[in-house]
């Protein structure tokens, strides 16, 4: 047993730095899975919680949505920031969005857009996403064989896709990027809540304008669905509508971009896997699952128990909070054969919990997989010889994290 680690484990679990370095993360969480898989965590500046680190325990909690609620705690923020939020908004929730709702409200709100995010309507987006992927690879080639893949490519491609889904015009994308990075930087990041309320207000003002526009001239996009949505015959509330826009706008790009850049880095670091995928492009579906398992961009969500129960052998009391540690689940040797090996043809990759599980399973999971598949198919067909051209850098944040910088070199190929 690693004595320093076990002495300090509660602080390691909440330290944003742990999440900026995958070796530190996996060292700590492998230790937890082995020694204390449902670990009572009582760090200095945070309200205490159970860290749930095994695949089976996370699934058991998430499927039991009557006992384990999303309200009121969704993410890790300091107790001081939680109190500040409460003072400013009168609530411990960041916003009344899908992630903060429970049934029956959650089911009703999720049903508003679930068909839109299903396979059938995504089919109609495929051409637009493919055109975007071609444009993205054209730009990479125009950059002359070198770029910062995280900053120049993956920061934009998923953002553009989600803006097509929402119906936000291209000229407003930089604003969306800036606001959502401010928001994500605040949750679980080193800067705390600074700027968060400003970002919320700016988002709300923007989306109020979109609502007015879609009511006047409806289109075939998610914004129109939300602008005109009713539940039980009554229009949905303004706070819920704005929170819905925001979660769709914010949840879909830093996450997807982190799987794209992390997936490319893993291919560069594992040349035999890159060669395997190039030799057999039909592996792309499995490879995408593996990119997502490997990177697991969302590091946690919380649940709160409403009654006393047992999780992974621990007595959990009503009111206790539980942190679902997704990247840990995705290296669990009880589920994944040699979990620390990156394999594009891994048969068990689909069992990953990177999209969560149960009624809150990522609404955009099919969209994310579609985007990643289309972009990699285009890149691998038209670009050869990807190489690392500098040190990759990761963002230090305990909620959503991934590469902020991935300097690469490459050669335009056949396509
Ligand atoms: C690789 C990319 C992505 C990852 C890793 C990811 C991960 C997650 C996770 C872990 C959850 C919570 C699941 C749970 O509590 O069980 C979630 C929920 C959600 N995601 Fe994603 N996501 C990704 C892409 C997207 C995209 C492209 C969208 C587009 C709209 C999106 C929208 C949402 C929404 C709206 C929810 C809330 C669902 C609910 O509470 O019912 N995500 N996602």
């Amino acid at each position: 047993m690693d004595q320093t680690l076990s002495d300090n484990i509660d602080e390691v679990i909440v330290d944003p730095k742990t999440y900026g370095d995958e070796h530190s993360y996996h060292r700590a969480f492998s230790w937890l899975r082995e020694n204390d898989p449902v670990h009572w965590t009582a760090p200095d500046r945070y309200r205490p919680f159970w860290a749930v680190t095994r695949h089976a325990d996370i699934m058991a909690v998430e499927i039991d949505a009557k006992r384990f609620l999303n309200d009121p705690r969704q993410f890790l923020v300091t107790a001081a920031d939680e109190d500040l939020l409460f003072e400013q908004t009168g609530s411990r929730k960041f916003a009344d969005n899908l992630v903060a709702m429970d049934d029956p409200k959650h089911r009703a709100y999720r049903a508003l857009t679930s068909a839109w995010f299903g396979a059938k309507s995504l089919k109609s987006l495929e051409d637009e996403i493919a055109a975007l992927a071609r444009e993205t690879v054209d730009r990479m080639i125009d950059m002359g064989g070198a770029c910062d893949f995280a900053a120049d490519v993956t920061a934009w491609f998923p953002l553009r896709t989600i803006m097509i889904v929402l119906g936000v015009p291209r000229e407003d994308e930089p604003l969306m990027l800036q606001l959502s990075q401010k928001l994500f930087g605040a949750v679980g990041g080193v800067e705390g809540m600074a700027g968060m309320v400003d970002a919320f207000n700016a988002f709300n003002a923007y989306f109020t304008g979109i609502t007015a526009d879609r009511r006047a001239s409806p289109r075939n996009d998610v914004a129109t669905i939300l602008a005109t949505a009713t539940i039980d015959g009554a229009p949905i509330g303004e706070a819920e509508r704005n929170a819905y826009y925001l979660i769709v706008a914010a949840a879909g790009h830093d996450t997807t971009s982190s799987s794209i850049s992390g997936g490319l880095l893993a291919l560069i670091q594992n040349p035999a896997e890159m060669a395997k995928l190039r030799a057999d492009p039909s592996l792309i579906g499995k490879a995408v699952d593996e990119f997502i398992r490997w990177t697991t961009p969302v590091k946690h969500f919380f649940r709160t128990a409403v009654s006393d129960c047992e999780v992974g052998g621990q007595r959990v009391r009503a009111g206790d909070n539980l942190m679902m540690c997704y990247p840990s689940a995705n290296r669990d040797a009880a589920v994944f054969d040699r979990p620390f090996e990156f394999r594009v043809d891994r048969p068990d990759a689909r069992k990953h919990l990177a999209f969560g599980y149960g009624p809150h399973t990522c609404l955009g999971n099919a969209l994310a997989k579609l985007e990643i598949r289309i972009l990699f198919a285009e890149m691998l067909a038209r670009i050869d010889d990807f190489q690392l051209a500098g040190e990759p850098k990761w963002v230090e944040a305990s909620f959503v994290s991934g590469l902020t910088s991935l300097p690469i070199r490459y050669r335009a190929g056949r396509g």
Side-chain angles (χ1 to χ4, degrees):
M1 182 167 90
D2 185 331
Q3 193 60 43
T4 346
L5 189 57
S6 64
D7 286 350
N8 196 25
I9 193 74
D10 292 8
E11 295 305 324
V12 171
I13 291 171
V14 296
D15 187 352
K17 286 199 172 56
T18 305
Y19 298 80
D21 164 13
E22 58 179 340
H23 298 294
S24 308
Y25 179 93
H26 286 304
R27 189 168 150 259
F29 283 82
S30 296
W31 184 87
L32 283 164
R33 281 195 309 280
E34 249 343 272
N35 296 285
D36 193 7
V38 179
H39 170 74
W40 183 247
T41 312
D44 273 351
R45 295 180 310 123
Y46 298 82
R47 293 202 163 81
F49 56 89
W50 295 99
V52 185
T53 62
R54 285 187 180 164
H55 192 280
D57 294 333
I58 293 179
M59 276 175 77
V61 169
E62 296 217 359
I63 200 68
D64 193 358
K66 281 200 173 66
R67 189 193 298 275
F68 299 105
L69 302 187
N70 280 39
D71 185 27
R73 191 177 189 182
Q74 289 90 49
F75 329 100
L76 183 68
V77 283
T78 61
D81 279 346
E82 281 177 348
D83 292 344
L84 189 70
L85 183 74
F86 191 71
E87 265 170 44
Q88 290 185 352
T89 66
S91 164
R92 299 214 173 272
K93 295 189 216 180
F94 284 83
D96 207 358
N97 60 33
L98 287 182
V99 155
M101 288 176 187
D102 292 296
D103 279 349
K105 192 172 179 182
H106 173 257
R107 183 172 310 157
Y109 275 82
R110 185 158 166 134
L112 295 174
T113 59
S114 57
W116 177 274
F117 286 102
K120 212 161 125 203
S121 71
L122 289 182
K123 193 95 197 114
S124 69
L125 281 183
E126 260 190 63
D127 288 349
E128 259 183 290
I129 298 175
L132 213 53
R134 275 196 299 281
E135 189 190 323
T136 305
V137 174
D138 288 347
R139 266 189 53 224
M140 285 178 73
I141 293 171
D142 288 347
M143 282 188 264
C147 72
D148 184 333
F149 189 69
D152 299 331
V153 178
T154 59
W156 291 104
F157 174 76
L159 178 74
R160 295 223 151 117
T161 313
I162 204 69
M163 295 301 131
I164 292 172
V165 166
L166 262 180
V168 169
R170 249 192 188 196
E171 61 271 21
D172 295 341
E173 285 171 6
L175 176 71
M176 292 290 111
L177 185 65
Q178 193 205 344
L179 292 180
S180 63
Q181 286 182 341
K182 216 165 166 179
L183 211 65
F184 272 132
V187 181
V190 279
E191 286 173 29
M193 302 274 282
M196 170 145 188
V197 175
D198 287 352
F200 258 131
N201 292 340
F203 261 125
N204 286 349
Y206 181 83
F207 287 123
T208 301
I210 292 264
T211 300
D213 177 76
R214 294 308 191 278
R215 283 180 178 163
S217 31
R219 295 194 218 158
N220 184 23
D221 57 24
V222 168
T224 304
I225 297 180
L226 297 179
T228 56
T230 56
I231 290 180
D232 294 334
I236 61 171
E238 195 185 338
E240 280 92 345
R241 181 181 316 103
N242 283 340
Y244 212 133
Y245 284 127
L246 196 145
I247 189 140
V248 171
H253 58 89
D254 275 1
T255 47
T256 311
S257 66
S258 149
S259 279
I260 294 172
S261 47
L264 182 63
L265 176 60
L267 287 175
I268 293 173
Q269 289 173 331
N270 295 274
E273 298 304 302
M274 174 78 96
K276 215 191 275 176
L277 185 54
R278 284 191 184 281
D280 181 0
S282 75
L283 290 176
I284 190 70
K286 280 201 173 99
V288 169
D289 288 331
E290 179 68 341
F291 299 160
I292 296 168
R293 180 191 78 93
W294 191 249
T295 51
T296 313
V298 176
K299 307 302 170 189
H300 74 262
F301 265 110
F302 273 81
R303 297 292 190 269
T304 298
V306 290
S307 53
D308 292 358
C309 57
E310 198 185 295
V311 176
Q314 294 282 20
R315 287 292 302 156
V316 168
R317 310 234 165 250
D320 285 356
N321 303 133
L322 300 97
M323 181 197 231
M324 307 292 109
C325 303
Y326 301 120
S328 172
N330 288 344
R331 293 292 186 281
D332 189 337
V335 175
F336 302 101
D337 173 41
R338 286 167 289 156
F340 286 91
E341 280 178 20
F342 171 81
R343 279 154 48 195
V344 292
D345 53 354
R346 174 179 281 284
D348 51 22
R350 288 193 69 173
K351 295 183 183 160
H352 74 73
L353 297 182
F355 291 128
Y357 192 68
H360 286 273
T361 301
C362 177
L363 180 67
N365 78 84
L367 175 64
K369 287 197 285 192
L370 180 70
E371 289 175 56
I372 301 172
R373 176 166 65 70
I374 291 177
L375 181 63
F376 272 90
E378 185 74 19
M379 283 199 305
L380 295 179
R382 296 176 55 201
I383 297 183
D384 287 335
D385 204 18
F386 284 101
Q387 287 183 29
L388 214 50
E391 256 326 281
K393 289 197 188 72
W394 276 265
V395 65
E396 292 175 350
S398 61
F399 178 43
V400 175
S401 75
L403 287 155
T404 50
S405 177
L406 179 61
I408 55 166
R409 270 195 303 274
Y410 45 90
R411 225 164 9 90
R414 305 135 276 166

